Amino acid sequence: MDRWKQARDILIVVNIFVLLLAFVVSQNRDFYINLEALARYSDLITEGYRRTIWLSLVALVVSLTFSAVLFFMTISKYDALNYLYIAFTQIMLGVPLMVHIIVLYFFLTSAIGIRDPIIGGTLILSLYMSCYFAKTFEGAYNDISPQQFKMMHILQLPKSVCIKKIILPQMIKATLPTLTTHFALLVKSTALLSLISVPEFTQYINLFNSRTLDFVTGYVILAIGYLTITIPLSFFAYWLNRKVGD
């Protein structure tokens, strides 16, 4: 019965969205998908989609690297590193990513000799997202029971062994669902890199729009493209969350 109830509820939700879409289309007579333009520029759209996936994966690796550094700053015995972590995360997360991209790219990255928008944009996005990852790691670390740390101290285990064999496995298990959700956010955030002309999906769709003047088609494809990435990630995060809960 539970499966039938679940299937019924899903069908109800699907019907609601279908009716909503039908209402929107009926109220906007200019709403149509130009299949001819899509066929003509399919290579352009596919290239933009591919570049966004590649850019997201690179930014994910760089973000995790930065977040590991930030995390070790939080557990450092040096107060200066703790304060630096707090200041950095407060500044990065306290300002919208769009502002960071504009300000940091045109002032900071150019000052240190980075002129390539792809490198500069990826670096800025990675720094921003690393704060989310680091906060997640910090929360998982703080959730480890104090008794475990006492036992490690009593047994006089080397710090490297404690981190690799005891702390990290627990943190990875606890943070995987949230990290997957953050990756979905990272993918969506790549759209803002079009502000500095980074060749990614949004930038390629803008190029499609300028050539065809078919903005409805372009932005519908843009939305669908991001959903094909973020929806599977959301389901994967939900599945991981259930597995962790078990």
Side-chain angles (χ1 to χ4, degrees), residues 148-149 151-168:
Q148 293 192 51
F149 290 103
M151 287 301 299
M152 287 184 277
H153 178 71
I154 292 173
L155 295 174
Q156 296 184 340
L157 295 174
K159 191 171 184 179
S160 60
V161 173
C162 294
I163 292 175
K164 292 180 182 179
K165 301 295 184 180
I166 302 175
I167 297 174
L168 276 181

Side-chain angles (χ1 to χ4, degrees), residues 6-40:
Q6 187 180 31
R8 183 198 64 190
D9 293 341
I10 292 175
L11 186 60
I12 291 173
V13 172
V14 170
N15 285 330
I16 290 173
F17 276 97
V18 169
L19 290 173
L20 179 61
L21 179 61
F23 173 76
V24 171
V25 172
S26 66
Q27 296 299 312
N28 295 272
R29 301 194 177 187
D30 294 332
F31 187 97
Y32 70 98
I33 304 299
N34 191 334
L35 298 179
E36 182 182 350
L38 286 178
R40 191 186 319 144

